[in-house]
Amino acid sequence: MTQAPPTLKAVRRQHDREIVSLALPAFGALVAEPLFLMVDSAIVGHLGTPQLAGLAIAAALLTTAVSVFVFLAYATTAAVARRVGAGDVKAAIRQGMDGIWLALLLGAAVVAATLPTAPWLVDIFGASDTAAPYATTYLRISILGIPAMLVVLAATGVLRGLQDTRTPLYVAIGGFTVNALLNVGLVYGAGMGIAGSAWGTVIAQCAMAAVYLVVVVRGARRHGASLRPDAAGIRASAQAGVPLLVRTLSLRAVLMIATAVAARMGDAEVAAHQIILSLWSLMAFALDAIAIAGQAIIGRYLGADDADGARQVCRRMVQWGVVSGVVLGALLVIARPLFIPLFTGDTTVQDTLLPALLVVAVSQPIAGVVFVLDGVLMGAGDGPYLAWAMLVTLAIFAPVALLVPVLGGGLTALWWAMTLMMTVRLLTLWLRSRSGRWIVTGATR
């Protein structure tokens, strides 16, 4: 007797279970990353406005240094998931090891380039005379943790591709706890000020990388995958990441332009911008949890030659993105009296912060769809299109943002420009998802 095909409701329930089982742990792990910066912001913010403004400049540079290499996680997730779908776990882990070796090489290069140029980089951002010394101190110390953070990105990609988002959650919780305790102890207990905050974060990042390496190495040995660096594999990983690097550089350019514009408005504006950016990043990573699930699931479906399954899960994730965006926007508005005083007691900063924060809340449903579709196309290995789309977005955003202070606009106007940027991203990603050109099946794209 022929079994009846599953109903639409049953298919949706199956996709929901898959999304939830991967997205919930991924949510915890992703939220931990901006929480590192939020803890630093909350602790340093009570040292004074110049210190918080200095942290804002250094944090923008550090986040850029890490985020431009986010392909170490995202491209690895997609490639590993495809091979898992095709039934070749050994090749999947070998691919992940190539990504980890690439992360170490890139991390060393970033440290070598940044240490001697830290004061110059801070100056480019137009930091005030009072904020610049704090920014330089924080940057020079924190940059030492970059190799560890890149290893964390690559190893996280391996585990996500293997459909394991729980291990990254446990590591992230441990790292966040260590970071918070060290920050409080070193900043106030040891009286190290902003330098203590930077050292606490570096130590926590190195500990996380060590745990990830233990987990991945054990998996490689269990499946007989080689741990040695392979020049051809490292080159292939780098080449696969180039389009995503272009995409991420364009996105980071958007955020750096926004911070530079805010810095030229004054210390109160850039301090408020830093708080908003921390919250915006927190919500972005929360929304990205659904996208992370999509990367792993869609990569697996495409690797198993199931194009219909990939389409169906894409549609379901978009629905999740919309609802999640609405919920996050509402929470941001409702909880604002609770969290704003945690970051700063400066009433000028608080007054500057509030109207721009409401703009961010309104834009969250747009962000929900953007992050989900971004993750879908990453999971499909559609990097070249993502690069092109983000370059178009940058070309539209940059002149609008730079005109904000020229036309007398403040921080709220700057965040309306950020909302325009997200709307352009929504349009480009929606057009691609509708076309179906991102669907390419097989163990490799």
Side-chain angles (χ1 to χ4, degrees), residues 149-185:
M149 285 307 299
L150 297 191
V151 168
V152 167
L153 286 176
T156 300
V158 178
L159 296 180
R160 289 173 182 167
L162 294 171
Q163 317 294 296
D164 175 11
T165 56
R166 291 184 180 274
T167 300
L169 171 61
Y170 301 146
V171 177
I173 291 173
F176 170 74
T177 303
V178 170
N179 178 63
L181 293 174
L182 286 174
N183 267 261
V184 172

Side-chain angles (χ1 to χ4, degrees), residues 59-124:
L61 290 163
L62 287 163
T63 305
T64 299
V66 174
S67 296
V68 294
F69 301 117
V70 74
F71 69 84
L72 291 167
Y74 291 156
T76 302
T77 297
V80 170
R82 275 182 178 269
R83 284 164 174 78
V84 168
D88 193 350
V89 178
K90 180 179 178 180
I93 296 178
R94 175 64 258 183
Q95 173 111 17
M97 287 304 305
D98 292 334
I100 290 174
W101 282 110
L102 178 61
L104 288 170
L105 293 174
L106 292 173
V110 170
V111 172
T114 306
L115 280 178
T117 60
W120 176 74
L121 291 170
V122 168
D123 186 60
I124 286 178

Side-chain angles (χ1 to χ4, degrees), residues 4 27 38-39 44 79 113 121-122 134 159 169 173-174 179 184 186 192 201 231 240 242 260 268 301 368 389 426 431:
F27 171 80
M38 289 181 69
V39 166
V44 171
L121 291 170
V122 168
Y134 297 111
L159 296 180
L169 171 61
I173 291 173
N179 178 63
V184 172
L186 294 176
M192 295 174 65
T201 301
V242 168
Y301 272 81
L426 173 63
L431 290 173

